[in-house]
């Protein structure tokens, strides 16, 4: 939609984890270095935590892209409290037969797999994403699974990635034995204001644009609204690009970001109101300064009969669409 107008070869602010867009600022570089060090030092357990949307999964994807052929990796990314038999998920992550019901058979299958990998001079790494969802019993099973390692022969390395709750769980006195096996432990904190500005420029440059697009004031507002969380930054910036394209703005400034944030706040309030009063009137979501006396419009809708209300609502939304996509709309 806006890619050509702003000189992008692809969308710069998607929400899906994409290693090619990884921003290796100080915090993310340190986190990645810790992951690498854990791999090279054959750490039994490595724990990486961070807030929702802080970039943990992107780091893991980048790590997977850098793996050499002598490393066999299994990734469990659907962890939850009711996931059932852990060993079945582990075997599935390595592409092994997992349908056997007996735990002793599952354990033997995995042990033989690890021995085979070790015989081929390959390291085996198990990565568990969203590990904060694991209950105490599953965490204990992971610890016991690491008992497969014997003496100096580290045949299995385990990397746990999760939200801050994971650190809280592992800090409990019930997990003292687990804590003692964690060699690498790092918490990925949010970006600061300067890092947020650099992050935004990095994303736009990676997507094909060499010149800055967001002003300093715009970046400051984005930082305050996102608290430095990359996923939230992406959401705000992507919406800003849509707004800027609709207005044919070559540079995105603080006024535009103010409009974006205000409309997002209005949309959230509308969602809350609709959730609390499902039978109530639906309020149209509008964009920035294109709202012309909405309060008056809504009071008119409430006073009219239902058929007339629906007609007014349709006409209003059509007019809003014309304004938003004026570049492509042509009156007949």
């Amino acid at each position: 939609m806006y890619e050509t107008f702003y000189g992008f070869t692809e969308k710069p602010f998607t929400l899906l984890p994409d290693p090619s867009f990884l921003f290796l600022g100080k915090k993310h570089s340190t986190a990645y270095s810790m992951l690498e060090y854990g791999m090279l030092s054959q750490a039994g357990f490595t724990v990486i935590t961070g807030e929702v949307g802080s970039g943990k999964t992107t780091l893991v994807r980048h790590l997977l892209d850098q793996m050499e052929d002598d490393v066999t990796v299994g990734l469990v990314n659907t962890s939850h409290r009711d996931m059932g038999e852990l060993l079945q998920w582990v075997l599935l992550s390595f592409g092994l037969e997992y349908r056997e019901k007996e735990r002793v058979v599952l354990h033997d299958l995995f042990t033989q797999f690890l021995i085979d990998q070790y015989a081929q001079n390959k390291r085996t790494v198990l990565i568990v994403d969203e590990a904060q969802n694991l209950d105490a019993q599953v965490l204990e099973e992971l610890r016991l699974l690491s008992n497969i390692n014997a003496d100096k022969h580290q045949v299995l390395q385990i990397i746990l990635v999760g939200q801050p709750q994971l650190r809280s769980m592992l800090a409990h006195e019930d997990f003292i034995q687990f804590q003692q096996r964690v060699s690498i432990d790092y918490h990925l904190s949010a970006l600061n204001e300067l890092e947020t500005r650099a992050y935004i420029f990095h994303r736009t440059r990676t997507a094909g644009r060499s010149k800055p697009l967001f002003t300093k004031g715009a970046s400051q507002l984005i930082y305050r609204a996102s608290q430095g969380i990359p996923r939230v930054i992406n959401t705000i910036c992507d919406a800003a690009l849509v707004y800027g394209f609709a207005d044919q703005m070559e540079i995105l400034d603080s006024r535009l970001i103010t409009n974006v944030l205000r409309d997002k706040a209005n949309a959230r309030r509308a969602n809350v109101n609709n959730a609390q009063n499902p039978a109530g009137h639906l309020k149209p979501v509008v964009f920035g300064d294109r709202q012309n006396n909405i309060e008056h419009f809504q009071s008119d809708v409430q006073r009219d009969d239902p058929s007339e209300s629906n007609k007014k609502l349709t006409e209003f939304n059509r007019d809003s669409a014309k304004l938003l996509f004026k570049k492509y709309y042509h009156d007949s």
Side-chain angles (χ1 to χ4, degrees):
M1 180 178 179
Y2 52 67
E3 291 94 318
T4 302
F5 181 76
Y6 287 116
F8 297 133
T9 55
E10 57 184 315
K11 287 187 175 182
F13 296 106
T14 60
L15 298 182
L16 295 176
D18 187 345
S20 66
F21 278 92
L22 177 62
F23 173 67
L24 287 173
K26 183 177 180 180
K27 297 180 178 72
H28 286 76
S29 291
T30 303
Y32 186 71
S33 295
M34 298 297 278
L35 280 170
E36 275 193 318
Y37 177 73
M39 292 288 300
L40 294 173
S41 65
Q42 297 191 24
F45 278 95
T46 298
V47 177
I48 301 294
T49 57
E51 297 292 343
V52 177
S54 60
K56 304 181 298 297
T57 301
T58 305
L59 276 175
V60 170
R61 298 291 180 185
H62 183 64
L63 179 69
L64 292 174
D65 286 348
Q66 306 304 312
M67 292 287 190
E68 301 292 341
D69 292 338
D70 64 343
V71 180
T72 302
V73 181
L75 175 62
V76 177
N77 56 9
T78 54
S79 56
H80 51 85
R81 292 190 178 277
D82 299 321
M83 62 188 300
E85 178 58 63
L86 172 66
L87 265 174
Q88 289 182 314
W89 288 94
V90 171
L91 290 169
L92 175 62
S93 72
F94 287 105
L96 303 173
E97 176 55 47
Y98 62 92
R99 294 179 179 84
E100 173 60 50
K101 300 298 183 181
E102 296 293 330
R103 178 175 293 192
V104 64
V105 177
L106 294 172
H107 191 275
D108 184 59
L109 284 171
F110 188 53
T111 302
Q112 290 302 317
F113 169 73
L114 292 175
I115 292 172
D116 290 344
Q117 295 299 303
Y118 187 74
Q120 298 175 47
N121 293 318
K122 289 186 175 183
R123 289 178 291 153
T124 304
V125 179
L126 173 65
I127 302 175
V128 182
D129 200 1
E130 301 296 342
Q132 77 282 347
N133 294 328
L134 302 177
D135 61 22
Q137 179 181 345
V138 175
L139 284 171
E140 177 61 11
E141 288 180 29
L142 277 174
R143 185 188 70 81
L144 294 175
L145 202 59
S146 68
N147 287 339
I148 291 175
N149 297 316
D151 301 326
K152 63 181 180 179
H153 304 293
Q154 195 77 22
V155 297
L156 175 65
Q157 294 178 254
I158 300 175
I159 298 175
L160 301 182
V161 182
Q163 296 170 25
Q165 300 94 298
L166 175 61
R167 291 172 68 91
S168 301
M169 290 171 61
L170 295 180
H172 196 275
E173 60 182 10
D174 291 344
F175 290 99
I176 290 178
Q177 292 186 70
F178 198 113
Q179 296 168 25
Q180 293 172 348
R181 299 197 184 189
V182 175
S183 304
I184 308 295
D185 183 9
Y186 184 78
H187 179 72
L188 182 60
S189 56
L191 305 177
N192 61 32
E193 186 175 323
L194 257 170
E195 291 169 330
T196 297
R197 190 177 181 188
Y199 172 84
I200 292 171
F201 179 66
H202 167 78
R203 301 279 305 201
T204 56
R205 183 176 57 188
T206 304
R209 182 187 173 94
S210 59
K211 297 180 180 179
L213 177 58
F214 293 80
T215 67
K216 183 177 180 180
S219 297
Q220 288 174 337
L221 285 178
I222 293 168
Y223 166 70
R224 291 172 195 166
S226 66
Q227 295 296 298
I229 300 298
R231 187 181 299 165
V232 183
I233 296 172
N234 288 0
T235 301
I236 297 171
C237 288
D238 187 63
L241 288 169
V242 176
Y243 280 46
F245 173 70
D247 286 340
Q248 300 290 281
M249 294 178 65
E250 296 183 358
I251 297 295
L252 307 183
D253 57 19
S254 57
R255 181 181 177 184
L256 178 77
I257 301 302
T258 299
N259 289 341
V260 170
L261 296 176
R262 183 187 64 221
D263 291 346
K264 284 186 171 293
N266 289 340
R268 283 194 295 270
R269 282 195 293 268
N271 289 336
V272 170
N273 290 338
N274 289 335
Q276 293 174 345
N277 184 23
H281 290 284
L282 293 176
K283 298 180 180 181
V285 178
V286 294
F287 295 84
D289 293 331
R290 297 175 182 81
Q291 179 176 12
N292 295 318
N293 200 2
I294 287 298
E295 291 79 9
H296 176 70
F297 168 80
Q298 288 173 341
S299 64
D300 284 348
V301 170
Q302 291 171 353
R303 285 196 300 266
D304 292 335
D305 62 73
S307 60
E308 190 64 25
S309 297
N310 290 335
K311 181 180 178 183
K312 283 192 175 187
L313 183 59
T314 300
E315 290 174 352
F316 177 79
N317 286 336
R318 185 184 297 119
D319 290 340
S320 297
K322 289 180 183 179
L323 289 169
L324 178 59
F325 302 105
K326 61 185 178 182
K327 184 175 184 296
Y328 293 113
Y329 189 91
H330 300 284
D331 290 322
S332 56

